Amino acid sequence: MRLTVFLFFCLTALLSLAQPPVGQTPPKGAAPAIGSLDGQVFDSISRKPIEYVELRLCKQTDSTVVTGIYTDENGKFVLEQVPLGSYFIRVNQSGYKEKIIRNIQLTQAKPLRKLGSISLVSDAANIQEIEITAETPVLQSGIDKKVYNVGEDLSVQGGSANDVLNNIPSIEVDQDGNISLRGEGNVTILIDGRPSSLSGGNGKNLLSGIPAASIERIEIVTNPSAKYDPDGTAGIINVVLKKNIRLGLNGNVTLSAATGNAYTGSTSMNMRNTKFNVFGNYAYDYKEGYRNNFSDLDQTYGDSTVFFDQRRYGTDFSETHTAKVGMDLYLKDRNTLSWTLSGNLGARDRFGDQENYRYNENNDTVGVWNRTSFDPGYNRNLDLGLNYSWEFKEDKGTVDWAAYQSIGNTTNAGYYEQTYDDASYGRNLDQRLFSLEKNNITTLQMDMVRIIKSKWRTESGLKLIHRNMGVDTHSDSRDTAGVFQADTLAFFNYEYTERIYSAYGIVGRAINKWKFQLGVRLEQSYQEPNLVSKNESYSNNYFNVFPSGHIRYEIKKGAELSLGYSKRINRPSSDNLNPFTSYADPYNLRRGNPALRPEYIHSVDFSFDYTQKKWSVTASAYQRYSLEVIQRVKVFYADGTSAGTFANINSSTSSGGELVFQFRPLPIWRNTVSANGNYVIYKDDNPSANWNRQGFIWGLKYSSSIELWKRSLILQVNGRYNAPSITAQGRMQPRGSVEFSAEKSFKEGKWAIGTRVSDIFNTQGFNFEVEQPTIVQRSEFKWLTRRVFITLRYKFGRSDFTDRKRPGDQPSGGGGFDF
């Protein structure tokens, strides 16, 4: 039955592809009823040809668009394969008044029409108007997706992708780079719309190695349609790397330096005409800092209590190189072939000096020792993408074929020395650990959009994701003779394979003020974690159906209501399933759980969006009900050690609301206030653990910018606050920060110099408590967050901002209402 349904989806997609749009193929036996038009576009005053002018051929009867084209570098154009009939042409170019050429007749007698020279008149008044109104806001908030434009936010200059995410409403990044959305920690991270080793293919987050200067925008989808992969409890975060598409030769260079030895530099360049676009960018990031953490543990055994205190002071160094190159080839007949190559090289070295103290209930010292650690790491990631796009005539839809390959590997080492004050407390240790992690992701997909009779919109597609991951680790210790010998601290070889086959179908329609969309995604998954070194293998295979539905109602212009539902899945990652125990810190062990089961989520979202000239508001009420919830938990043992692992909790319910309010009381003053709050209930019947908890989580973010000195000087303030929040085992303490940024531009915006002060009051950090029947643990993490940045920026090339969408330029994402 499953195979039958899957083949049905495949057959439906292929049949839809095989059906040509109306007018594309003449009846059998009929003479080809087609013609062509050509011409050349000039400036009315200088008589110079104008490149990249948009021409749209429209039917005379109902004004529907039949086809379109852009002029070449000589201002020339040729429209071929045009069905015979009566038409008119709209001619548009930024800075010029629109021109309409009417009464164009293509007949059997005269199928070829030469339009000759077409003159466009400059519209200086309109140019000034565009410069005022075409400004891109930092946050574009809609009902089903938010878009955060990184280039418009001064507060992330010199920062990383994690700094960018921390500025977005309802998103938080913790001390280990773990990301949460609307209070939920399971989020799907995509790079340029697809799985990537850059986003942490082995279950880890590598976004701290991507400079903010490499990011164009970030898209947040909280209740995705069936077009998207169903992974991610809270939704999807798509990081879109820069790709310049301006005409001609364009580029920019940005340099930044900060206190605490932090330096970044980036450059991007592209060359585009009507036949191709070649682009590339590169970013470098260097940071030095510190990373400290403190922990106090109180553990009770019957009538006795043991106290364990740890104080760690350390340094944190990172250096990354990120680059992306690519090319778009604009072929004839609405075809585009594109390729991209993205890469990341990074190094991170951490040194720590940790003092450890153990006391009994009488406050007598029972152990004192020092542990030093040096953890160097290197990562290399490469993403290759190939995309072919074909647009049907008369804007009847598109077909996209895509193939992506992502390869990454990370080399980690650890050097640990543990020295006891008294031999009775324990034996001194000198250990070394070496690890190689590999990650290989292959993605193949086909997506098709068809418009049927201008009323119905259908989407369908097929997708294959194949992941191969592996970790090979070994360690050794110095013996009494001073020679390093292999030990069992970390000796294992772990391999993980995952295959996901999926098909989806979506149908939507707009009826007056109503818009609806229904979809379903079918998926067959195979997971095979294998601990090769212990000959332990596991297999998790499951078939799932993921329905989705969205309804919108337009109350009036600028005001909409929306209701959405989707079923989603949280699959255990490779790290989650890895059964090996890490002894890097012998008192704080780490291991995965190969018995983890997938978590299933039912998500409902009701939203209201209202936009006015000076302000807009988006309000959402949502609820997520999850079964077999995957949670990070800590297990404590009688010898005073603990292990961080993962477990399935019976269920959780999260009910909350989100508010994003943007207002502009003056043309030069822009403000964004966002708030998110939700009440979480964890339920579990495990008699040996206290995982039944509930509580309220909420947070606020505020951003304000003002433009002075004829809009050449921008001042910006950002602030965020997170109230105390609960977890399955304890509580996270409140946290927050305030930042200030400024930038002054010169020479018509080609040059700019800026400054930024991050975490002005040095309050950014993490404090949490674990509360269990016999355990209380308090932990604090602090790293270098307060820095002063100086930034210099230069750009060259075309400065117009009205680069029009050319056939083949596809936005990332999809699955929304595009009627």
Side-chain angles (χ1 to χ4, degrees):
M1 178 61 182
R2 297 173 182 172
L3 181 60
T4 302
V5 176
F6 189 84
L7 292 176
F8 172 76
F9 267 80
C10 300
L11 183 61
T12 301
L14 293 175
L15 288 176
S16 299
L17 179 60
Q19 297 174 359
V22 177
Q24 182 171 323
T25 304
K28 186 176 181 180
I34 56 175
S36 66
L37 304 98
D38 61 42
Q40 190 173 19
V41 181
F42 292 88
D43 182 280
S44 62
I45 298 177
S46 67
R47 300 304 300 168
K48 292 182 178 180
I50 309 174
E51 65 173 336
Y52 202 56
V53 177
E54 178 189 61
L55 298 100
R56 286 181 175 266
L57 183 68
C58 306
K59 288 184 179 180
Q60 192 72 50
T61 54
D62 57 8
S63 300
T64 58
V65 178
V66 177
T67 186
I69 198 172
Y70 290 76
T71 59
D72 62 17
E73 59 270 19
N74 297 314
K76 295 181 179 180
F77 67 92
V78 178
L79 283 169
E80 300 176 319
Q81 302 292 317
V82 179
L84 302 182
S86 300
Y87 301 98
F88 67 90
I89 289 182
R90 292 183 178 274
V91 186
N92 288 283
Q93 170 68 318
S94 61
Y96 293 88
K97 293 181 180 180
E98 181 185 53
K99 187 165 189 174
I100 300 178
I101 304 173
R102 302 187 183 277
N103 300 319
I104 299 174
Q105 304 292 330
L106 295 180
T107 64
Q108 289 284 358
K110 294 183 177 181
L112 306 179
R113 179 72 183 270
K114 294 186 177 295
L115 300 177
S117 298
I118 301 173
S119 297
L120 293 185
V121 178
S122 176
D123 188 0
N126 190 45
I127 293 176
Q128 179 64 27
E129 179 183 351
I130 293 174
E131 288 180 348
I132 295 174
T133 60
E135 182 182 74
T136 303
V138 175
L139 180 67
Q140 294 172 287
S141 183
I143 287 182
D144 57 351
K145 179 164 67 175
K146 296 182 181 66
V147 179
Y148 182 83
N149 297 294
V150 178
E152 304 299 321
D153 189 356
L154 302 181
S155 67
V156 297
Q157 293 179 355
S160 69
N162 284 344
D163 297 312
V164 176
L165 291 173
N166 260 327
N167 275 358
I168 302 176
S170 303
I171 295 181
E172 296 296 330
V173 183
D174 70 11
Q175 75 280 0
D176 294 320
N178 300 307
I179 298 169
S180 63
L181 173 60
R182 287 182 170 180
E184 173 58 53
N186 180 254
V187 185
T188 296
I189 306 295
L190 303 178
I191 304 294
D192 288 333
R194 59 186 183 270
S196 169
S197 55
L198 291 175
S199 60
N202 283 25
K204 296 181 178 179
N205 182 287
L206 303 180
L207 296 179
S208 60
I210 301 180
S214 297
I215 303 173
E216 178 71 25
R217 67 184 183 276
I218 292 181
E219 301 170 342
I220 306 99
V221 186
T222 52
N223 209 359
S225 71
K227 180 172 183 175
Y228 294 91
D229 293 332
D231 303 81
T233 303
I236 295 170
I237 296 176
N238 182 29
V239 179
V240 181
L241 301 180
K242 286 184 176 179
K243 170 187 173 181
N244 202 340
I245 61 172
R246 292 185 184 276
L247 282 169
L249 179 64
N250 309 273
N252 64 75
V253 178
T254 302
L255 300 174
S256 179
T259 56
N261 289 333
Y263 309 96
T264 61
S266 67
T267 182
S268 68
M269 187 177 297
N270 85 294
M271 177 65 188
R272 175 174 177 169
N273 57 29
T274 57
K275 296 180 180 180
F276 65 85
N277 177 41
V278 180
F279 57 90
N281 61 69
Y282 166 77
Y284 172 75
D285 182 83
Y286 177 97
K287 281 188 176 67
E288 295 180 10
Y290 65 82
R291 189 176 182 86
N292 304 331
N293 65 273
F294 314 99
S295 172
D296 298 320
L297 173 68
D298 302 345
Q299 188 168 5
T300 302
Y301 310 97
D303 297 331
S304 63
T305 301
V306 173
F307 304 95
F308 182 29
D309 299 338
Q310 293 179 304
R311 300 288 180 267
R312 182 186 185 277
Y313 297 89
T315 60
D316 195 349
F317 160 81
S318 66
E319 183 179 29
T320 59
H321 304 262
T322 303
K324 179 178 181 179
V325 295
M327 186 176 188
D328 301 320
L329 293 174
Y330 305 130
L331 309 177
K332 292 184 178 181
D333 301 325
R334 304 163 306 282
N335 292 268
T336 303
L337 179 65
S338 305
W339 65 265
T340 59
L341 183 66
S342 303
N344 176 274
L345 296 174
R348 186 176 185 182
D349 297 342
R350 287 174 289 180
F351 174 81
D353 190 333
Q354 179 174 280
E355 296 290 342
N356 303 268
Y357 307 90
R358 295 193 69 185
Y359 309 93
N360 60 22
E361 65 273 14
N362 298 319
N363 206 30
D364 298 325
T365 302
V366 294
V368 178
W369 66 97
N370 174 267
R371 183 178 179 85
T372 60
S373 60
F374 174 57
D375 300 279
Y378 309 92
N379 66 78
R380 295 163 292 277
N381 303 283
L382 186 67
D383 289 1
L384 176 64
L386 184 65
N387 182 275
Y388 178 74
S389 178
W390 173 39
E391 293 187 359
F392 292 110
K393 288 185 177 180
E394 302 180 1
D395 290 335
K396 294 294 184 180
T398 60
V399 180
D400 289 279
W401 291 270
Y404 304 110
Q405 185 67 44
S406 181
I407 303 172
N409 66 71
T410 301
T411 302
N412 291 309
Y415 301 90
Y416 311 105
E417 292 187 16
Q418 190 161 297
T419 306
Y420 288 87
D421 284 12
D422 190 315
S424 62
Y425 294 153
R427 184 175 64 86
N428 293 344
L429 300 175
D430 188 354
Q431 298 171 318
R432 303 183 304 187
L433 182 147
F434 306 94
S435 175
L436 174 63
E437 302 182 24
K438 294 184 178 181
N439 179 35
N440 193 328
I441 306 174
T442 301
T443 304
L444 302 174
Q445 68 183 86
M446 183 196 77
D447 299 285
M448 182 170 60
V449 178
R450 290 299 308 270
I451 306 299
I452 303 175
K453 296 182 178 180
S454 301
K455 295 181 179 180
W456 292 88
R457 175 188 176 92
T458 64
E459 299 183 51
S460 57
L462 305 171
K463 190 171 188 178
L464 160 69
I465 300 178
H466 191 177
R467 291 183 175 93
N468 282 315
M469 306 176 188
V471 182
D472 190 356
T473 300
H474 65 276
S475 64
D476 52 34
S477 300
R478 193 188 301 271
D479 61 17
T480 55
V483 179
F484 280 99
Q485 303 287 348
D487 63 19
T488 59
L489 170 69
F491 180 77
F492 74 102
N493 184 0
Y494 174 65
E495 295 179 353
Y496 174 81
T497 301
E498 181 179 74
R499 302 184 307 279
I500 302 174
Y501 305 92
S502 60
Y504 73 88
I506 299 172
V507 61
R509 182 175 179 177
I511 304 175
N512 299 322
K513 293 186 176 183
W514 292 89
K515 297 177 182 178
F516 74 86
Q517 177 180 278
L518 298 174
V520 64
R521 188 180 190 93
L522 309 180
E523 192 176 87
Q524 178 67 51
S525 304
Y526 302 90
Q527 288 183 321
E528 298 173 1
N530 182 14
L531 187 57
V532 179
S533 53
K534 290 189 176 182
N535 198 27
E536 297 178 7
S537 60
Y538 307 85
S539 180
N540 301 316
N541 305 328
Y542 39 88
F543 176 83
N544 288 294
V545 179
F546 299 100
S548 68
H550 295 81
I551 300 175
R552 283 189 182 182
Y553 176 70
E554 184 181 18
I555 303 172
K556 62 179 183 179
K557 186 176 181 180
E560 284 189 325
L561 291 172
S562 173
L563 178 65
Y565 163 80
S566 66
K567 179 184 176 182
R568 306 192 59 73
I569 188 173
N570 176 17
R571 268 180 276 266
S573 69
S574 126
D575 271 11
N576 295 158
L577 296 169
N578 187 354
F580 175 76
T581 300
S582 170
Y583 292 88
D585 182 347
Y587 284 86
N588 293 280
L589 311 177
R590 289 177 296 170
R591 64 165 172 265
N593 178 4
L596 279 179
R597 300 174 296 277
E599 173 184 353
Y600 293 96
I601 306 97
H602 299 271
S603 177
V604 179
D605 197 312
F606 178 72
S607 301
F608 170 70
D609 183 73
Y610 189 61
T611 302
Q612 291 293 295
K613 185 177 181 180
K614 293 186 177 181
W615 60 276
S616 67
V617 61
T618 300
S620 304
Y622 57 88
Q623 184 174 79
R624 294 189 300 265
Y625 178 69
S626 304
L627 298 171
E628 301 286 358
V629 182
I630 297 176
Q631 276 282 308
R632 185 191 301 267
V633 298
K634 210 162 193 180
V635 180
F636 296 89
Y637 303 103
D639 61 358
T641 63
S642 64
T645 184
F646 302 89
N648 286 108
I649 296 176
N650 286 2
S651 67
S652 73
T653 303
S654 177
S655 306
E658 181 185 56
L659 178 70
V660 179
F661 180 47
Q662 301 183 80
F663 60 101
R664 202 161 192 165
L666 298 172
I668 62 171
W669 187 16
R670 180 172 57 191
N671 300 268
T672 301
V673 179
S674 65
N676 178 76
N678 56 301
Y679 194 84
V680 182
I681 302 174
Y682 295 101
K683 292 184 178 180
D684 190 74
D685 56 8
N686 186 344
S688 61
N690 181 23
W691 293 342
N692 290 285
R693 301 181 63 84
Q694 56 185 299
F696 189 64
I697 303 171
W698 65 275
L700 292 170
K701 293 185 179 181
Y702 173 68
S703 175
S704 178
S705 65
I706 187 168
E707 300 168 326
L708 304 171
W709 208 338
K710 296 182 179 180
R711 298 176 182 256
S712 65
L713 174 63
I714 304 176
L715 307 178
Q716 182 172 321
V717 175
N718 287 68
R720 56 179 177 264
Y721 172 77
N722 292 89
S725 58
I726 67 136
T727 66
Q729 286 188 298
R731 174 181 296 272
M732 187 78 70
Q733 298 303 315
R735 57 199 185 277
S737 65
V738 177
E739 299 186 349
F740 171 78
S741 313
E743 183 181 80
K744 178 68 175 72
S745 58
F746 307 89
K747 301 292 184 180
E748 299 179 345
K750 291 185 179 294
W751 288 90
I753 185 170
T755 184
R756 174 169 77 99
V757 183
S758 63
D759 194 15
I760 295 174
F761 303 107
N762 200 28
T763 54
Q764 190 173 347
F766 280 88
N767 297 271
F768 66 87
E769 294 183 2
V770 174
E771 302 167 348
Q772 293 294 290
T774 61
I775 299 290
V776 176
Q777 184 179 31
R778 294 167 293 275
S779 299
E780 175 185 354
F781 292 83
K782 188 70 181 80
W783 59 98
L784 180 56
T785 56
R786 181 164 58 188
R787 298 180 189 265
V788 179
F789 294 80
I790 299 295
T791 301
L792 179 65
R793 177 171 53 84
Y794 171 72
K795 62 181 180 180
F796 62 89
R798 293 177 67 105
S799 59
D800 63 86
F801 35 75
T802 53
D803 295 313
R804 297 181 181 272
K805 177 180 178 294
R806 186 204 189 283
D809 294 341
Q810 297 297 326
S812 59
F817 295 99
D818 294 319
F819 296 99

